[in-house]
């Protein structure tokens, strides 16, 4: 997920932890505890993304592909990260140190906020098609949620609106809420959000604002409602995802009965359960080939037809009156893929990330992120025996397409 989503949800959960604990006797310490819960949960909700500093350990693009969402995004390595964050807060924040020495509630709250933040980060990252492998080293396989777009404004509204309404200054409240609304309108005008999604988001935000306005100074109804709304949205996306995969499988079965559908990677449009991008992987064992297809599907064409889906994410195809459209397809040799994996150590390392690997004459790329090699951050040159040493320290993630290898 984007770090704005991580931050907003982390701040909301940190505030909820604070409001659930009994009040501190000293008002000054009570204020310190609130700030500590907010900072701790927000920091924990972003901390695993510090793995970006490790991307230089391998040549690009392998460094980014194999180390981002790498070890810091596993349950095992979340424990030392949590301990490091707590130690940093203790060392660098004298007021928090004094509070923690004196208050059992603050100590319990800090553990809850930090633990929730790290689990939130891992869980939210698991919702999209990029994937995580949280159970490494016990299980090195990637897990893909395929349910939520990597930038999701539902999470922004769910976290930001209740927090903004808790500000004492009406001017600050107005600026934050107005800024959020303006951001949503901007993305809608640029073709990333459907107008129906904008209306739903504004209504959701207005409802949360009214709840918090009536909840009183220490109320937490809006926080709970916002987080429950986010969970309900994910559940709705999960149901739409299954419907979309069924539509894709039925169409591909008609197009090529001889092929076996191995996987369908789905990418939702922001705040939009109807419109989806898909990439499919098929294998024809008899012909010795595999095929990647990329296209769009509407799971509710009577409500939102494909030609009404946000244009900025629709890759330029406008003949979309049907329920599903395939924008790109490429058939490739299984023998070549397997030979490259066996004889090219950089391709072998790349295949520990590539869920939808496509091979051109000179490059390989993951079709999840574009339907051509140009501009795709996963593109890797197929350099053959060029004398370069094999990359060392390649993480042992499972091969997403082991069924092709």
């Amino acid at each position: 997920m984007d770090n704005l989503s991580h931050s907003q949800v982390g701040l909301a959960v940190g505030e909820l932890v604070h409001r659930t604990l009994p009040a501190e006797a000293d008002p000054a310490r009570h204020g310190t505890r609130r700030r500590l819960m907010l900072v701790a949960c927000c920091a924990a909700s972003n901390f695993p993304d510090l793995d970006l500093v490790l991307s230089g350990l391998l040549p690009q693009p392998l460094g980014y592909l194999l180390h981002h969402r790498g070890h810091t995004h596993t349950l095992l390595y979340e424990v030392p990260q949590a301990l490091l964050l707590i130690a940093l807060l203790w060392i660098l924040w004298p007021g928090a140190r004094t509070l923690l020495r004196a208050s059992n509630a603050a100590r319990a709250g800090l553990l809850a906020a930090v633990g929730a933040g790290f689990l939130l980060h891992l869980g939210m990252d698991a919702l999209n098609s990029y994937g995580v492998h949280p159970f490494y080293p016990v299980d090195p396989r990637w897990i893909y949620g395929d349910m939520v777009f990597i930038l999701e404004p539902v999470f922004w509204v769910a976290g930001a609106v209740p927090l903004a309404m808790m500000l004492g200054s009406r001017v600050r409240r107005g600026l934050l809420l107005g800024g959020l609304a303006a951001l949503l309108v901007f993305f809608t005008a640029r073709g990333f959000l459907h107008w129906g999604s904008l209306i739903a988001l504004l209504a959701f935000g207005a409802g949360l604002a009214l709840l918090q306005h009536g909840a009183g100074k220490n109320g937490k109804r809006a926080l709970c409602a916002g987080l429950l709304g986010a969970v309900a949205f994910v559940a709705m996306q999960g149901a739409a995802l299954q419907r979309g995969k069924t539509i894709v499988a039925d169409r591909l079965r008609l197009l090529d009965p001889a092929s076996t559908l191995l996987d369908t990677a789905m990418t939702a449009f922001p705040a939009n359960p109807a419109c989806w991008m898909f990439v499919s992987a098929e294998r024809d064992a008899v012909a010795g080939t595999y095929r990647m297809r990329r296209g769009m599907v509407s799971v509710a064409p009577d409500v939102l037809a494909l030609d009404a889906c946000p244009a900025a994410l629709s890759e330029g195809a406008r003949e979309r009156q049907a329920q599903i459209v395939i924008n790109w397809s490429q058939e490739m040799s299984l023998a070549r893929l397997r030979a490259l994996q066996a004889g090219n150590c950089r391709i072998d390392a790349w295949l520990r990330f590539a869920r939808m690997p496509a091979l051109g004459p000179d490059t390989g790329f993951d079709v999840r992120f574009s339907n051509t090699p140009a501009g795709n951050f996963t593109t890797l040159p197929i350099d053959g025996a060029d004398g370069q040493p094999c990359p060392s320290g390649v993480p042992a993630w499972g091969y997403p397409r082991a069924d092709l290898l």
Side-chain angles (χ1 to χ4, degrees):
M1 296 300 301
D2 65 289
N3 291 100
L4 180 57
S5 295
H6 283 309
S7 298
Q8 294 298 336
V9 174
L11 287 169
V13 171
E15 182 69 42
L16 185 60
V17 169
H18 170 69
R19 291 181 177 233
T20 302
L21 296 170
E24 301 290 335
D26 181 2
R29 287 188 176 179
H30 190 73
T32 298
R33 191 185 76 187
R34 178 176 184 260
R35 292 188 293 274
L36 177 61
M37 298 302 108
L38 290 171
V39 170
C41 198
C42 182
S45 293
N46 288 279
F47 210 84
D49 281 342
L50 293 176
D51 60 9
L52 291 171
V53 303
L54 303 176
S55 62
L57 296 178
L58 289 170
Q60 294 305 319
L62 296 177
Y64 180 83
L65 300 181
L66 295 175
H67 281 302
H68 181 47
R69 298 207 187 178
H71 292 92
T72 62
H73 288 67
T74 63
L75 290 170
L76 175 65
Y77 288 98
E78 284 198 340
V79 175
Q81 290 179 89
L83 295 175
L84 174 60
L85 176 57
I86 291 172
L88 289 173
L89 291 170
W90 177 273
I91 293 169
L92 300 177
W93 194 340
R97 186 165 62 244
T98 300
L99 169 68
L100 292 168
R101 282 175 174 150
S103 172
N104 290 329
R107 289 193 292 270
L110 179 61
L111 292 176
V114 170
F118 277 102
L119 291 176
L120 279 169
H121 187 103
L122 195 56
M124 291 172 70
D125 276 357
L127 293 176
N128 54 53
S129 64
Y130 195 101
V132 290
H133 27 71
F135 306 114
Y136 179 86
V138 176
D139 185 350
R141 290 177 296 178
W142 290 82
I143 294 173
Y144 307 98
D146 286 356
M147 290 183 285
V148 176
F149 192 66
I150 197 166
L151 299 167
E152 185 44 70
V154 169
F155 295 147
W156 306 348
V157 174
V161 172
L163 292 170
M165 290 298 295
M166 293 172 185
L167 296 173
S169 167
R170 290 185 178 180
V171 174
R172 293 172 65 193
R173 283 203 303 265
L175 287 174
L176 285 175
L177 293 175
L180 177 60
L183 185 63
L184 297 177
V185 171
F186 171 78
F187 281 123
T188 304
R190 294 299 299 267
F192 293 97
L193 277 174
H194 189 270
W195 286 101
S197 299
L198 174 65
I199 293 170
L201 288 167
L202 294 177
F204 180 38
L208 293 177
L210 289 173
L211 270 178
Q212 185 56 42
H213 180 72
K217 182 178 179 181
N218 298 313
K220 53 187 179 183
R221 284 182 294 178
L223 288 169
C224 293
L227 294 173
L228 287 174
V231 171
F233 171 73
V234 171
M236 179 171 59
Q237 291 293 103
L241 166 71
Q242 296 307 315
R243 173 62 179 154
K245 286 193 172 186
T246 299
I247 295 169
V248 172
D250 290 345
R251 174 57 60 89
L252 297 184
R253 193 178 301 114
L254 290 173
L255 289 174
D256 189 357
S259 290
T260 300
L261 178 61
L262 302 175
D263 189 14
T264 305
M266 302 284 286
T267 300
F269 281 42
N272 189 332
C275 299
W276 297 75
M277 296 295 302
F278 73 87
V279 178
S280 62
E282 305 162 74
R283 179 186 60 211
D284 188 332
V286 175
T289 60
Y290 75 101
R291 180 186 291 112
M292 297 288 159
R293 304 186 202 256
R294 183 178 172 95
M296 283 181 59
V297 60
S298 172
V299 303
D302 295 335
V303 178
L304 192 64
L306 281 178
D307 58 359
C309 292
L313 299 173
S314 297
E315 299 187 344
R318 299 309 301 176
E319 289 121 31
R320 299 193 298 268
Q321 295 295 333
Q323 189 174 32
I324 180 173
V325 63
I326 295 171
N327 297 327
W328 178 90
S329 176
Q330 181 173 321
E331 189 170 6
M332 292 152 285
S333 166
L334 279 170
R336 184 185 181 217
L337 177 68
R338 292 165 181 171
L340 283 170
Q341 191 231 348
N344 187 316
C345 53
R346 282 166 291 284
I347 293 293
D348 179 66
W350 177 75
L351 285 169
R352 293 185 182 275
F353 171 85
R355 180 184 180 186
M356 296 293 174
L359 298 176
D362 303 309
T363 58
F365 61 101
D366 192 316
V367 188
R368 283 177 293 171
F369 308 104
S370 76
N371 58 359
T372 66
N376 187 330
F377 68 92
T378 68
T379 298
L380 180 75
I382 302 174
D383 47 24
D386 59 358
Q388 296 182 21
C390 290
S392 60
V394 174
W397 316 137
Y399 296 99
R401 286 275 66 83
D403 44 19
L404 292 178
L405 304 175

